[in-house]
Amino acid sequence: MRRPMTASLLHDLVASSHAQGTTRLAVAVVIEDDQHILLVETNNTVDSFDYGWQPPTDLVLPGETLDNAVCRTAAAAGIQLDRITSYLGHHDLPVDRDLLRTFVFAATVQPGRAHRHIPNVGSQWATIDDLPDSLNHDLLGFIHLAPVETDNPDPLPAALRAHAAGLLAVEAAIELLIGHRTWLHRPDFVDHYIATGPDLTTSTPMAWVDWPAAIIALDTQGMACSSSEARMLRVAASLAAGLPLDLGDAITRLDTTNLTLVVQAVLHAGKH
């Protein structure tokens, strides 16, 4: 799940991995620039993926901090970062009877530079909607969790996150909707099934979903959508509000991208 960057977060990621016995660490950085994501050819120096393209990825060197590893990894691809914006999650891969844990971060490039022209021949800028078929699918879900930042970001995701904060299942449901990048861009859903208002003590903008009403609208054909969109909304509603769900039907016909988002949501909801 997308989380803001803090020094304590970076420390906790490494400390918790070491406590679990996982000491082989790597970083991947989803670099955003003008609606594009930087991808590089997989060279298999970090792991044994068979995919041709992935975000810049490299091992964390002994004694190196995660943020330094991210900047070094970006520099190796010919990119100077503006800032590391957030932590997206991690994935584990068995390598040589050991476990390699890759932490995935989102970052932006420094403005005012010619970022389309990069010295690494095995690199390309791709839009999120037009990613290469040979993309590393272990990282695909993280790319979709890292929407490109704009000068006027949509305040709705932040308001939904603020209301869900501390409730793991609701957080998971909200991140699922945000990562799915469909329902929160539909006026028929946002206008009718999301309520907003300030926190009574801090005045922080809040937003919350009327999950039962949204599912009733699905069941009565009050919202036209694809079968995949309906399944994703039902999974989110089941996580957030405990609404009944046929899990077999919900996940067996999802594509890899959506299935990855669902798995990440379930893992987040199950944290202790």
Side-chain angles (χ1 to χ4, degrees), residues 1 168-170 172-173 239 264-272:
M1 298 303 151
L168 292 179
V170 183
L239 283 168
Q264 291 170 347
V266 172
L267 289 172
H268 182 80
K271 288 182 178 178
H272 298 289

Side-chain angles (χ1 to χ4, degrees), residues 34-140:
D34 190 24
Q35 307 293 320
H36 289 73
I37 300 295
L38 177 64
L39 300 175
V40 298
E41 284 186 318
T42 303
N43 57 20
N44 292 325
T45 58
V46 174
D47 49 45
S48 57
F49 293 130
D50 294 327
Y51 300 92
W53 297 95
Q54 66 181 27
T57 304
D58 203 352
L59 293 169
V60 177
L61 301 177
E64 187 177 36
T65 62
L66 294 182
D67 53 341
N68 284 343
V70 167
C71 293
R72 176 179 54 78
T73 300
I79 297 297
Q80 186 174 5
L81 298 180
D82 175 31
R83 64 190 182 99
I84 305 171
T85 59
S86 55
Y87 169 65
L88 305 179
H90 74 267
H91 72 88
D92 294 334
L93 182 74
V95 177
D96 298 331
R97 298 183 181 180
D98 201 352
L99 195 66
L100 175 67
R101 175 160 296 174
T102 301
F103 299 109
V104 187
F105 297 89
T108 54
V109 292
Q110 292 189 350
R113 296 174 181 260
H115 301 295
R116 282 298 110 70
H117 303 289
I118 48 182
N120 189 340
V121 176
S123 304
Q124 65 168 300
W125 291 97
T127 65
I128 291 180
D129 296 327
D130 189 25
L131 296 170
D133 293 336
S134 57
L135 181 71
N136 177 346
H137 283 74
D138 287 292
L139 296 175
L140 179 60

Side-chain angles (χ1 to χ4, degrees), residues 217-231:
L218 276 184
D219 292 338
T220 59
Q221 299 183 340
M223 286 191 296
C225 64
S226 69
S227 59
S228 175
E229 291 169 347
R231 289 185 176 91

Side-chain angles (χ1 to χ4, degrees), residues 131-155:
L131 296 170
D133 293 336
S134 57
L135 181 71
N136 177 346
H137 283 74
D138 287 292
L139 296 175
L140 179 60
F142 296 109
I143 291 176
H144 285 273
L145 280 178
V148 176
E149 294 188 348
T150 64
D151 293 335
N152 298 298
D154 182 359

